[in-house]
Amino acid sequence: MPWGRAELLVPGKVTGDCLRLRLSPIAEHLWSAGAPPAAPWRTQLARRPCRWQMLFSCVAFAVPAAVHLVKREHLADWLAGLALLVVSITSPLCDAFFVDSTVIEGSGPNLDLDDDEAYRRTADLVGISCQDVVRLIQDHGASPEILCNDRYNNLTRLIDRYTCVFCVLPALTYYCIRQRPAFLTNLPFAGGVLVAWATCLVDQRYRYADPCGIRYLDGRWVTEKSYLIHQRLHEIWHYLLVLTFTCSALYRPGRE
């Protein structure tokens, strides 16, 4: 595939005894690469969040947003406040609600493992033959289904990361330069972001170990251990950013 190869991972413990796809870093943002959702977006949004702690850490970005919008001393405050307000909406969608993984291939009454085209989509994503997919399923004693992040999972990840990179980062950079032109006064906040970013890099390693490590089954969320570690570290990443952004919004040297 032009966006990189996926990988087939071994079955999980609580999310099902089926192989799961780990999409490439680019493909995991594409609607077309995801599995068909098991439920409409309205139904998924109406569920309880996968973790209340995750939801709280996401909406916490509204705190520094409120500081900027209350202060509103200049355009930079408006831009920073609105950008953070938007991410307090996109982040819960990406991290707390639309996190499901569903069957992308290998289900249905007409499934025939001897059919040369039985796992064509999986084979194309991974870059192996359909027979190789069947052989891996048999070698692991797995059920015939193949899991993958669903399309809403991919879509909300794209929207949230796009918002962070192209809205929040430029807006907060502009605010720091506008509010505190002296380079050294911004170093503590840059350091806070770097510490938070290091935490994020670690948490993404745990998520990447099994991106399908969370599913909505029988009316509740079930989570693999590696994905749960990712969630807890991701919440810390959020809170470190919220603390850094709030302190930055409040610290205004030379101003009343």
Side-chain angles (χ1 to χ4, degrees):
M1 306 296 284
W3 47 78
R5 298 295 184 188
E7 297 178 69
L8 270 176
L9 305 179
V10 299
K13 290 181 169 50
V14 298
T15 53
D17 63 340
C18 42
L19 300 182
R20 56 272 325 274
L21 280 167
R22 176 167 63 200
L23 298 173
S24 74
I26 295 178
E28 70 173 2
H29 298 89
L30 302 178
W31 173 271
S32 60
W41 69 267
R42 293 182 183 85
T43 302
Q44 294 197 40
L45 194 57
R47 298 169 180 166
R48 68 176 181 85
C50 62
R51 270 174 63 88
W52 285 103
Q53 299 95 318
M54 180 65 79
L55 177 62
F56 296 149
S57 75
C58 293
V59 298
F61 286 107
V63 174
V67 175
H68 282 290
L69 294 176
V70 168
K71 294 283 188 180
R72 56 181 188 278
E73 294 180 0
H74 35 59
L75 176 63
D77 269 325
W78 283 102
L79 294 176
L82 292 174
L84 288 167
L85 195 60
V86 171
V87 89
S88 73
I89 298 171
T90 62
S91 184
L93 296 178
C94 169
D95 295 325
F97 289 100
F98 295 102
V99 294
D100 203 8
S101 293
T102 57
V103 176
I104 191 172
E105 213 167 27
S107 63
N110 298 322
L111 177 66
D112 181 5
L113 295 182
D114 294 325
D115 183 356
D116 289 342
E117 299 297 313
Y119 290 94
R120 172 51 56 196
R121 187 175 180 192
T122 300
D124 288 343
L125 284 169
V126 179
I128 58 178
S129 69
C130 297
Q131 293 83 355
D132 287 335
V133 176
V134 173
R135 190 176 303 112
L136 285 169
I137 292 173
Q138 294 171 341
D139 288 347
H140 288 94
S143 61
E145 296 87 2
I146 304 291
L147 284 183
C148 184
N149 292 156
D150 80 7
R151 289 168 178 165
Y152 291 127
N153 190 328
N154 288 5
L155 177 63
T156 55
R157 183 179 299 110
L158 172 65
I159 293 172
D160 185 55
R161 291 182 176 177
Y162 183 94
T163 301
C164 292
V165 173
F166 294 102
C167 297
V168 176
L169 179 60
L172 292 184
T173 301
Y174 173 56
Y175 162 77
C176 288
I177 295 172
R178 172 68 175 81
Q179 183 67 46
R180 297 181 298 269
F183 175 75
L184 292 179
T185 60
N186 288 304
L187 280 183
F189 306 109
V193 172
L194 287 177
V195 171
W197 181 245
T199 305
C200 180
L201 291 178
V202 174
D203 92 57
Q204 289 301 313
R205 289 183 67 87
Y206 280 100
R207 189 189 76 85
Y208 203 61
D210 185 2
C212 300
I214 183 169
R215 295 184 71 189
Y216 194 77
L217 297 173
D218 300 323
R220 66 187 183 94
W221 291 104
V222 293
T223 312
E224 300 288 351
K225 183 178 179 181
S226 63
Y227 199 93
L228 181 60
I229 295 173
H230 148 67
Q231 288 179 309
R232 290 172 174 169
L233 289 172
H234 205 67
E235 291 156 13
I236 294 173
W237 141 258
H238 285 165
Y239 284 126
L240 287 172
L241 287 180
V242 168
L243 177 62
T244 301
F245 295 161
T246 303
C247 291
S248 176
L250 291 170
Y251 181 58
R252 299 171 183 245
R255 294 175 180 267
E256 292 297 326

